Amino acid sequence: LDIYLDNAATSRRKPETVYAAVDAFMRNVGASPARSVHGYGIEASRIVESAREEVSGLLGVSDSSRLVLTSGCTESLNIAILGMLKHGDHVIVSGLEHNSVMRPLTALAHRRSVGTTRLPVTSAGTTDPTCVETSILPTTAMIISTHASNVTGAIQPIAEIGGIARTHDIPFLLDAAQTVGHVPVDLGSLPVDMCAFSGHKGLMGPQGTGALYIRKGIYPAPLMYGGTGSASTEETQPPVLPDMYESGTPNTPGIAGLLAAAKFLRKTTIAAIHAHLESIGVAFIAGLKEIGEVTLYGPGTMLLNSGVFSFTVANRDPGELAEKLERKHGIMTRVGLHCAPSAHKSIGTFPAGTVRASIGYYTTKNDVEVFLRALKEVVRA
Ligand SMILES: Cc1ncc(COP(=O)(O)O)c(C=O)c1O
């Protein structure tokens, strides 16, 4: 028996069509997209542009050229942060950010004297939007928030935060790594200027895929410069999207898989996936609350949770609990700080961290029952 509860890191099982698409691309196409005009090259380009269209469609992006395909959410966040912030700028971030936000900001603090205000987190595990308003300085050049915490699953009031950003004409960068594919996200109506996400988590595509949505009128400097297959007479980077941010031969096998995943999600619908996660999550939360020794962090309700459950047990080492869950019961969780020390500082679990169990589309009710029984046994042993 093997129960995978680490979907917040990456979704392990993928739709069958995703495996088939990666294999078919490598065997039957295998050429470089956007460069070569022979048959295989044209097919590779068609796959990349279809993936861009399909993923845009899932997120309410009407102009798919605004969706830059990347190697993952980390690259997307780096383009947005390193590409936008200038010497002496000020940034407001939630107290729940992943290191893929905090580390670029720390690097910029040294390199460009960028200052950061880190907002407090309420007892419900969210950002209070009024704190955003009161933290704005004349030099504030960006507001950044995760859509849902990768430590607690807590969904943030992003419409309110984005609304404040828009009122003050400050770009709002959303890290939607934990919500895209799990929670409906409509970039056509949300006040979001840039949105970074992975292709390999809730979207169920292969690892090494991701995207950055950039609203019209916003032009971060590229992270990388090079061949794009377009404007080849010029030795300067083409100033058009998405080419400007897509230098070099892309991960086309991964993008072929991402296309299959996006088609699967369109057919299944994110609303249906969300409903499935909600029904599983309700049982998860109720079960965890029943075990008296367990402290559950973040929102104790699925109305505000993307499918991530972090907990500790008094006087027990999280690593020891996770190890027993796996060795004795075949249950895979993640333990420690989840690449988000800032979030753990905010919720009071730094530096020991928590045990994190995260669900996905393929998690079943039975998985939850087995997990809860196993946890009871481990806790009471
Ligand atoms: C909230 C959050 N942001 C960013 C990332 C980085 O994503 P990726 O591993 O796809 O670069 C992750 C995943 O680890 C995450 O959970």
Side-chain angles (χ1 to χ4, degrees):
L1 192 70
D2 138 9
I3 295 178
Y4 180 81
L5 292 175
D6 197 14
N7 290 278
T10 196
S11 49
R12 186 171 168 276
R13 183 172 159 198
K14 314 290 181 182
E16 283 301 320
T17 50
V18 173
Y19 305 123
V22 175
D23 187 74
F25 176 83
M26 294 195 73
R27 279 177 207 285
N28 307 330
V29 186
S32 191
R35 284 150 178 78
S36 316
V37 289
H38 50 65
Y40 294 136
I42 290 170
E43 179 56 10
S45 302
R46 190 195 62 77
I47 287 170
V48 171
E49 292 321 309
S50 303
R52 200 186 307 284
E53 277 290 324
E54 283 286 342
V55 175
S56 294
L58 286 173
L59 298 172
V61 173
S62 54
D63 176 1
S64 69
S65 73
R66 310 300 308 181
L67 195 82
V68 174
L69 298 176
T70 65
S71 62
C73 195
T74 302
E75 183 188 340
S76 304
L77 289 164
N78 272 266
I79 294 173
I81 293 168
L82 299 175
M84 291 290 287
L85 296 172
K86 293 186 291 299
H87 193 89
D89 279 346
H90 171 251
V91 182
I92 298 171
V93 294
S94 87
L96 294 163
E97 298 309 305
H98 191 270
N99 264 347
S100 51
V101 168
M102 299 314 292
R103 285 182 172 168
L105 288 176
T106 305
L108 287 186
H110 297 294
R111 274 201 242 156
R112 299 183 198 158
S113 305
V114 167
T116 297
T117 297
R118 189 182 316 212
L119 300 175
V121 173
T122 67
S123 56
T126 55
T127 299
D128 175 357
T130 57
C131 293
V132 178
E133 183 95 52
T134 54
S135 301
I136 293 173
L137 303 176
T139 49
T140 305
M142 191 180 283
I143 295 172
I144 308 175
S145 179
T146 191
H147 191 181
S149 164
N150 70 307
V151 173
T152 65
I155 295 175
Q156 304 301 309
I158 57 155
E160 290 82 351
I161 297 171
I164 293 165
R166 193 138 291 178
T167 307
H168 293 267
D169 206 17
I170 299 166
F172 177 44
L173 168 61
L174 183 67
D175 176 355
Q178 291 300 330
T179 49
V180 164
H182 278 192
V183 177
V185 175
D186 181 16
L187 294 172
S189 63
L190 279 169
V192 167
D193 297 296
M194 289 180 287
C195 177
F197 54 97
S198 313
H200 61 94
K201 298 182 191 261
L203 284 182
M204 295 192 283
Q207 293 181 14
T209 62
L212 174 67
Y213 162 73
I214 307 175
R215 187 177 292 284
K216 197 163 182 272
I218 294 193
Y219 288 96
L223 264 194
M224 286 205 297
Y225 298 80
T228 56
S230 57
S232 293
T233 53
E234 301 304 317
E235 290 184 8
T236 53
Q237 194 74 0
V240 290
L241 270 83
D243 307 32
M244 190 168 171
Y245 307 101
E246 292 184 0
S247 291
T249 306
N251 171 16
T252 322
I255 294 171
L258 180 62
L259 168 59
K263 283 182 174 166
F264 179 87
L265 260 76
R266 175 160 57 97
K267 236 172 83 192
T268 309
T269 78
I270 292 176
I273 292 171
H274 182 65
H276 169 72
L277 293 172
E278 219 169 50
S279 74
I280 299 269
V282 165
F284 220 110
I285 291 173
L288 284 172
K289 283 183 175 170
E290 242 178 59
I291 309 175
E293 296 89 336
V294 165
T295 303
L296 174 66
Y297 296 89
T301 160
M302 275 315 284
L303 294 175
L304 285 171
N305 191 313
S306 63
V308 179
F309 312 99
S310 250
F311 59 89
T312 53
V313 174
N315 305 315
R316 297 286 290 271
D317 171 46
E320 177 244 340
L321 295 171
E323 196 262 332
K324 290 211 166 103
L325 283 172
E326 174 162 17
R327 196 163 41 80
K328 291 194 172 165
H329 304 277
I331 295 168
M332 279 160 260
T333 56
R334 183 165 164 193
V335 65
L337 297 173
H338 319 101
C339 296
S342 178
H344 282 278
K345 284 173 192 162
S346 294
I347 67 170
T349 47
F350 184 85
T354 56
V355 181
R356 181 183 77 176
S358 51
I359 57 176
Y361 176 67
Y362 287 110
T363 309
T364 64
K365 279 221 153 77
N366 184 58
D367 292 343
V368 178
E369 282 162 21
V370 173
F371 166 78
L372 291 169
R373 256 198 317 256
L375 182 62
K376 241 179 242 165
E377 198 186 302
V378 167
V379 165
R380 288 172 187 169

